[in-house]
Amino acid sequence: MTITLDGMTWDHPRGRAPLERSIERYRRERPDVAISWTARSLKDFGELPLEALAERFDLIVFDHPFVGQAAKRGLLADLTPHIPADAMAWLDAGAVGPSWRSYHWQGGIYGLPIDAAAQVAAYRPDLMARAQRQPPATFDQLLQLARDLRSDGLWVGVPAVPIDAMCMVITLAANLGRPVPTDRAPFLEREFGLEVIERVRELVSLSHPASTRLNPIQMLDLAATSDEVAYIPYTFGYTNYCRPGVDKPLRFADIVAAGNVASCGTLLGGAGFGVTTRCRNVAEAVRYGLWLCAPDYQRTHYFDDGGQPGMLQAWTDPALDAQSDGFFSGTLRTLSSAYLRPRFAGYVPFFEEGGLRTNAFLRGESSAGALVDWLNDAYAAALRAN
């Protein structure tokens, strides 16, 4: 009897291609298993509630901040009973940064770390060389670079649509040594919050005029297809922009130091492989997920098929690093010390509304004080309702 597993991932070559191309390869090993994958947009990946998806699909590639909500509402299966001891050992030892830990919640495990990412820096080496500019090491140097590039007809670009504006606030707070607490209010102490918000505002004011309308993929596309953006200080890393065959390749690097440690505190991204409670064969679904996460598969087929691995063996593989122009070695320090966001039920709606308000502030529609006060009040309310 054929086992059918229907999956939902996110609509980008990095999220879609390695899963679609795994189907026939897995079928050769498990001929009685039929897998299909559907894709949703990047926006829906970060915002769309899991309820509707959990009713229709067996497998979901999801963003880890949803884990508390998914566990509380019984949307995703706890994978713990289905992960063999040997697999648990290599996952514990071999995942990148806090990626594996991000799917652990209140004693359960609700995802496998098939993909790892964090906010890092990206730049066009050719444009920086043409302008005779060096990548900045500190936040003050970043602001000066933004000013200097204007005289060269170039821009710093900052993805600052609502979600990413909020991500930047959280990253800066953690990089400055005072990360958002995951289990208590306030979101940001008021005076410190004003400092963070004003830093973000100043950076965006000096950046490409489309910054508040572009997400990371759109900003990376702009940098890779035009000669407008030379440097992007905070964007989620994508190996797709630095592989062979890219006409105007980007280079990725650790973030600048707003605080005392350059790479500390950048917001964790990536994607997890979850199994819904609708699935009739959780054991087989987990077997497939572990097969995708296996270090040897991650550093070969998964990367070759366009994926961005979640396992350290791939990130430290010299061949993969060479094929991506130093992407992995250039960003591993940042990812290893990434900040793990709150994941409690109710956090995602707070995060979405906070992003809308932060983006509005960056467009001049509210004050820094009003934004910080709202963030603190709303965060406290979300925690109480959890």
Side-chain angles (χ1 to χ4, degrees):
M1 181 177 177
T2 299
I3 296 171
T4 301
L5 298 174
D6 296 322
M8 169 62 78
T9 184
W10 53 296
D11 193 12
H12 184 273
R14 172 178 138 196
R16 189 180 64 248
L19 298 180
E20 291 176 342
R21 294 172 186 170
S22 76
I23 293 172
E24 287 305 315
R25 199 175 290 126
Y26 192 74
R27 190 74 182 264
R28 288 195 291 270
E29 293 191 19
R30 302 283 288 178
D32 58 337
V33 180
I35 299 168
S36 66
W37 285 101
T38 304
R40 67 193 189 279
S41 70
L42 176 65
K43 184 176 186 298
D44 285 347
F45 174 77
E47 297 182 17
L48 188 68
L50 295 182
E51 281 85 347
L53 300 177
E55 294 174 358
R56 298 173 51 203
F57 296 95
D58 305 295
L59 314 173
I60 297 179
V61 177
F62 70 103
D63 197 6
H64 65 265
F66 284 97
V67 73
Q69 172 187 326
K72 183 175 182 178
R73 299 181 183 177
L75 304 176
L76 294 179
D78 179 2
L79 309 184
T80 310
H82 305 282
I83 302 175
D86 63 330
M88 195 72 78
W90 57 254
L91 283 164
D92 286 342
V96 181
S99 296
W100 169 226
R101 182 161 49 92
S102 72
Y103 305 107
H104 293 222
W105 182 253
Q106 296 182 342
I109 299 172
Y110 297 91
L112 299 172
I114 59 170
D115 176 292
Q119 281 191 315
V120 293
Y123 62 97
R124 279 274 299 275
D126 59 329
L127 294 182
M128 294 288 282
R130 189 180 80 189
Q132 298 183 323
R133 309 293 179 187
Q134 296 296 319
T138 68
F139 194 84
D140 287 341
Q141 290 176 10
L142 168 61
L143 296 178
Q144 189 58 52
L145 176 65
R147 298 183 187 100
D148 291 343
L149 285 175
R150 293 305 305 122
S151 64
D152 303 309
L154 297 168
W155 293 96
V156 161
V158 182
V161 294
I163 285 180
D164 298 285
M166 189 70 159
C167 287
M168 194 161 28
V169 169
I170 295 171
T171 282
L172 272 173
N175 189 230
L176 287 165
R178 297 169 68 177
V180 171
T182 59
D183 58 356
R184 67 183 188 280
F187 185 75
L188 297 170
E189 294 288 347
R190 196 171 195 280
E191 291 305 312
F192 176 65
L194 291 173
E195 176 190 347
V196 171
I197 294 297
E198 286 297 341
R199 283 190 185 227
V200 174
R201 183 203 59 75
E202 184 174 11
L203 174 60
V204 172
S205 72
L206 295 169
S207 298
H208 193 285
S211 289
T212 56
R213 303 193 303 273
L214 300 182
N215 65 30
I217 292 175
Q218 292 167 330
M219 185 61 77
L220 291 166
D221 283 343
L222 180 63
T225 58
S226 72
D227 292 336
E228 298 177 41
V229 175
Y231 187 85
I232 307 171
Y234 302 103
T235 182
F236 289 99
Y238 284 81
T239 63
N240 312 77
Y241 294 93
C242 51
R243 296 189 187 215
V246 178
D247 289 338
K248 297 179 178 180
L250 305 179
R251 188 168 295 160
F252 289 80
D254 292 318
I255 61 166
V256 303
N260 295 324
V261 182
S263 60
C264 178
T266 182
L267 185 139
L268 181 71
F273 176 100
V275 181
T276 67
T277 50
R278 158 194 196 280
C279 182
R280 296 182 179 179
N281 199 317
V282 176
E284 186 62 43
V286 173
R287 187 186 188 281
Y288 172 50
L290 291 171
W291 180 84
L292 289 169
C293 282
D296 282 342
Y297 189 87
Q298 287 256 305
R299 69 179 181 83
T300 55
H301 297 300
Y302 196 84
F303 175 80
D304 293 341
D305 291 341
Q308 190 161 295
M311 299 305 294
L312 187 60
Q313 186 174 341
W315 280 71
T316 55
D317 188 307
L320 269 61
D321 199 47
Q323 291 177 58
S324 58
D325 194 20
F327 174 90
F328 296 104
S329 61
T331 60
L332 182 57
R333 184 175 62 160
T334 292
L335 189 57
S336 297
S337 59
Y339 166 75
L340 181 55
R341 278 173 280 177
R343 293 165 293 154
F344 61 85
Y347 171 73
V348 172
F350 158 79
F351 176 79
E352 292 170 2
E353 180 62 25
L356 291 169
R357 289 172 181 264
T358 303
N359 178 269
F361 163 73
L362 295 175
R363 290 184 283 107
E365 296 180 7
S366 69
S367 69
L371 175 58
V372 172
D373 289 343
W374 184 90
L375 289 171
N376 286 335
D377 290 345
Y379 194 61
L383 284 165
R384 286 195 301 271
N386 178 39

